[in-house]
Amino acid sequence: LAESFNQMAARVQRSQQAQRDFVANVSHDLKTPLTSIQGYSQALLDGTAATTASRERAAVVINQEAQRLGRLVEEVIDLARIDSGRLQLRPEPVDLAALIDELVELLEPRSAAADITVTMQIPAGGLPRLHADPDRLRRVLTNLLDNALAYTPPGGAVAITATPFPRDSAAPVGIEVAV
């Protein structure tokens, strides 16, 4: 009985530690974009961003960081849904090439501001349509591209390569993001 109790207490402690780690990670992840938003908005308010180019740059960064905050909040909500067993996937046919193209276009202002070249390599024959949840797939690919841009130095390049696998493989498409 004592051994069972000690095992249960150890599991509770690990669970509590995991929750503390999760809150610390989320707090850190939320603090970074908030700091950028506060800094750039303050530059707009106090006139430090005096030129049109610097005001536009501040507006772009504020917008991008607000979008990033929105994605982080959605991820936390998804984790809560997963934990409660309420996450529902809505699979449907997805044109992966079009989705990648859309995401590259959406991230273009950020890549241009960071002086990062983004290239896509998709086979001439295209890619097979995937049966997936488009919102979740978009989020996964956006996270990959966000990380690639975040860890590529100015003047660098990000290459996105998508390759169809043979029909008998477990996955229909392989995606590689190289920095």
Side-chain angles (χ1 to χ4, degrees):
L1 180 64
E3 187 176 315
S4 292
F5 180 79
N6 287 338
Q7 289 175 354
M8 182 180 67
R11 282 195 302 270
V12 167
Q13 273 188 322
R14 284 192 300 272
S15 176
Q16 288 174 338
Q17 184 61 46
Q19 287 176 348
R20 284 191 295 272
D21 292 347
F22 174 75
V23 169
N25 288 334
V26 167
S27 299
H28 173 75
D29 287 348
L30 293 173
K31 185 178 178 183
T32 302
L34 277 174
T35 300
S36 292
I37 290 170
Q38 288 171 333
Y40 279 98
S41 62
Q42 185 63 45
L44 289 172
L45 290 171
D46 67 17
T48 305
T51 66
T52 301
S54 62
R55 285 191 300 271
E56 286 177 8
R57 170 80 176 123
V60 166
V61 170
I62 290 169
N63 182 272
Q64 289 172 341
E65 294 300 312
Q67 289 177 10
R68 184 173 165 200
L69 275 174
R71 286 191 303 272
L72 288 169
V73 169
E74 284 298 318
E75 288 175 14
V76 170
I77 291 169
D78 278 351
L79 286 172
R81 287 180 183 144
I82 290 168
D83 193 42
S84 69
R86 294 183 301 135
L87 180 67
Q88 294 181 350
L89 297 177
R90 293 178 173 77
E92 61 185 68
V94 177
D95 182 344
L96 184 59
L99 178 59
I100 293 170
D101 191 48
E102 174 190 326
L103 293 176
V104 168
E105 187 176 319
L106 284 172
L107 293 172
E108 195 278 328
R110 182 173 167 203
S111 62
D115 190 28
I116 297 171
T117 303
V118 178
T119 58
M120 288 184 352
Q121 296 175 340
I122 295 176
L127 297 169
R129 293 182 73 78
L130 299 178
H131 193 69
D133 184 318
D135 293 332
R136 301 297 185 265
L137 185 57
R138 176 178 278 108
R139 190 167 306 149
V140 167
L141 293 174
T142 299
N143 284 344
L144 284 172
L145 295 174
D146 273 344
N147 287 338
L149 292 176
Y151 293 102
T152 300
V158 172
I160 303 161
T161 306
T163 308
F165 290 152
R167 288 206 177 270
D168 61 343
S169 69
V173 178
I175 298 174
E176 178 181 347
V177 177
V179 178

